[in-house]
Amino acid sequence: MTFYALSSSPTGKGLFAKRSIKKGETIFIERPLVSAQFLWNTLYKYKACEYCLRALETAEGNARRLSGIPGLSLPHPELCRVRPEQHQACPQCQVMYCSSECRQAAADQYHQALCLGPSEEDPDHPINKLKDAWRSMHYPPETSSIMLMAKMVAMVKQAKDKAHLQKLFTHFCSRTANEEEEIAHKLLGEQFRGQLALLHSLFTEALYDDRLGRWFVPEGFRSLFALVGTNGQGIGTSSLSQWVHACDALELPAQQREHLDSFIDQLYKDIEKETGDFLNCEGSGLFLLQSSCNHSCIPNAEVSFPDNNFLLHLSALCDINQGEEICISYLDCCQRDRSRHSRHKILRENYLFVCSCPKCVSQMDELDVTSEEEEEEEGVAEGETEGDEMEDEMTDV
């Protein structure tokens, strides 16, 4: 049974409950229209299926690399779902997929237009020059990718019904500014004109197509940039995290449970010591239904990726009444704990709106005080050069 209905709301599109939904229920499962692994994530050797982003490293291989312990053995290796024997490479460029199905789906949808063949490692190939330029402008942590835009172009190039696919992309918000509130997307300001001009030039050189001329003129490119910036949903997949969750679900005698939990705790400490915070294979995607969910600082639903691939699950965080709007948070948990002023700053710059959710309305009388965390970040930024500030800004699409 369908739990939701798309409808208009005071903030534009919205998703509303068609019937009562219980806490913990899955509202929908959605496949992205397009998705891509972050380019820095790839460079750091996080191996993910080029199509569905499923982790390609076994949990043990992932743990060994991240912890710097090459002889590490994980208990209960049977709980790892990665199946290297099913992995397949593109025969032309050797890009890896988790299965023959994913390899074929990529070829059918976009990869023929993007396959570099023997030039996959050639730094002078136009697509590689575009990737390199993006990495030099958009340092980790990444929140979007130029490859989402490249795949959109490639999908239209390969589509039989090009008009239908282009129409699907118009369902995503692609405005570069909110004139009512006089907000411009922070990546499209004057200080980024040089970077955007270079990306536009390289994007055109690598992918130009007459049938998509509107995406290649400067204003169209800016809209495309804003589209992936304001609609891209982060996707995280990890064979190690999935193995840990599977371990947590095991029914074990108390002593074995204590030993396993201690092993996992130590493993995470070793990873943090060796490589910093634990990282997933990370990317982003464009989801038609998910992008219709409006934001709330106290959301009643949340996004997750329990299948260790790009399939998005939207689940209820609490009971949702029939007719009630289904809202997610565009902010992460730490950002949601910041002051109203800090939350509004992030939402205005990245999503071009002013939040009026119940939490923000209840805090309207608060002074415009910046959260301590943000003050610390701003203090660090003040000690950087102008170029460093610009690079940091570019990381928060």
Side-chain angles (χ1 to χ4, degrees), residues 81-362:
R81 295 192 210 167
V82 176
R83 298 291 176 262
E85 69 276 7
Q86 296 178 6
H87 298 173
Q88 288 201 3
C90 167
Q92 280 76 43
C93 69
Q94 304 307 308
V95 163
M96 292 299 298
Y97 299 92
C98 68
S99 64
S100 58
E101 291 80 8
C102 278
R103 183 179 68 80
Q104 191 59 54
D108 291 344
Q109 292 177 31
Y110 61 81
H111 188 65
Q112 294 175 53
L114 292 178
C115 183
L116 304 191
S119 299
E120 178 68 23
E121 304 296 331
D122 178 5
D124 292 323
H125 190 285
I127 288 180
N128 285 334
K129 287 166 70 175
L130 177 66
K131 291 179 178 180
D132 188 57
W134 174 263
R135 278 192 294 259
S136 70
M137 298 171 190
H138 198 299
Y139 287 87
E142 291 177 89
T143 50
S144 189
S145 175
I146 196 74
M147 291 312 294
L148 271 183
M149 298 163 63
K151 284 187 177 181
M152 289 168 67
V153 171
M155 286 175 72
V156 176
K157 285 184 177 183
Q158 287 189 212
K160 291 179 180 176
D161 189 344
K162 301 182 192 306
H164 172 69
L165 187 56
Q166 289 184 75
K167 187 176 180 181
L168 284 179
F169 285 127
T170 65
H171 288 288
F172 295 98
C173 168
S174 61
R175 62 183 178 175
T176 58
N178 180 341
E179 283 78 12
E180 276 182 35
E181 304 289 346
E182 296 184 350
I183 312 167
H185 196 282
K186 72 181 196 180
L187 283 186
L188 301 174
E190 290 295 318
Q191 68 267 43
F192 300 127
R193 179 171 290 180
Q195 284 96 328
L196 285 170
L198 175 60
L199 279 178
H200 176 229
S201 173
L202 293 171
F203 189 77
T204 302
E205 180 187 355
L207 299 159
Y208 183 76
D209 189 298
D210 283 335
R211 295 162 294 188
L212 286 167
R214 62 188 179 86
W215 282 355
F216 290 95
V217 297
E219 189 53 43
F221 180 74
R222 286 163 58 88
S223 293
L224 202 57
F225 208 79
L227 186 153
V228 299
T230 55
N231 294 278
Q233 164 66 49
I235 300 169
T237 65
S238 167
S239 52
L240 181 57
S241 289
Q242 197 171 51
W243 173 82
V244 170
H245 288 313
C247 285
D248 289 343
L250 288 175
E251 293 185 9
L252 298 172
Q255 190 173 0
Q256 289 185 36
R257 166 56 59 192
E258 185 179 344
H259 180 73
L260 181 58
D261 288 348
S262 176
F263 175 89
I264 291 170
D265 288 344
Q266 185 59 49
L267 174 59
Y268 277 117
K269 288 176 183 175
D270 291 337
I271 289 172
E272 185 172 2
K273 183 179 178 181
E274 179 70 17
T275 57
D277 293 335
F278 176 68
L279 295 173
N280 295 329
C281 293
E282 294 177 339
S284 61
L286 297 178
F287 296 83
L288 281 168
L289 277 176
Q290 175 272 341
S291 71
S292 299
C293 292
N294 285 310
H295 164 83
S296 173
C297 295
I298 43 172
N300 55 16
E302 70 174 352
V303 163
S304 64
F305 296 88
D307 298 318
N308 197 37
N309 63 6
F310 63 14
L311 287 179
L312 179 152
H313 291 234
L314 187 74
S315 306
L317 286 171
C318 58
D319 291 348
I320 302 174
N321 297 322
Q322 182 178 354
E324 188 177 348
E325 185 170 10
I326 299 167
C327 292
I328 59 176
S329 177
Y330 299 171
L331 305 173
D332 63 33
C333 293
C334 294
Q335 290 170 334
R336 289 204 297 272
D337 289 337
R338 293 183 175 185
S339 67
R340 176 178 178 269
H341 175 68
S342 296
R343 297 196 309 272
H344 277 210
K345 182 175 185 289
I346 296 167
L347 293 168
R348 282 168 58 93
E349 290 180 345
N350 292 288
Y351 300 102
L352 305 178
F353 72 93
V354 176
C355 185
S356 57
C357 74
K359 181 175 181 177
C360 288
V361 170
S362 70

Side-chain angles (χ1 to χ4, degrees), residues 332-339 342 346 369-381:
D332 63 33
C333 293
C334 294
Q335 290 170 334
R336 289 204 297 272
D337 289 337
R338 293 183 175 185
S339 67
S342 296
I346 296 167
V369 177
T370 303
S371 299
E372 287 182 12
E373 296 93 336
E374 193 169 325
E375 285 177 350
E376 288 174 8
E377 291 168 8
E378 288 174 353
V380 170

Side-chain angles (χ1 to χ4, degrees), residues 7-79:
S7 181
S8 59
S9 76
T11 51
K13 287 189 298 183
L15 211 61
F16 295 81
K18 286 178 66 175
R19 69 164 180 83
S20 296
I21 303 170
K22 293 294 184 185
K23 178 181 179 179
E25 278 194 275
T26 299
I27 301 167
F28 63 73
I29 300 173
E30 184 179 16
R31 177 186 295 261
L33 197 56
V34 60
S35 64
Q37 187 181 7
F38 294 145
L39 292 176
W40 276 105
N41 196 258
T42 306
L43 198 66
Y44 286 155
K45 302 189 186 309
Y46 287 88
K47 298 178 176 67
C49 173
E50 201 277 333
Y51 181 70
C52 77
L53 300 187
R54 185 183 298 278
L56 298 180
E57 268 186 318
T58 63
E60 189 167 83
N62 191 223
R64 287 175 175 177
R65 182 170 61 80
L66 293 175
S67 68
I69 306 173
L72 180 70
S73 294
L74 295 186
H76 304 288
E78 73 282 357
L79 297 179

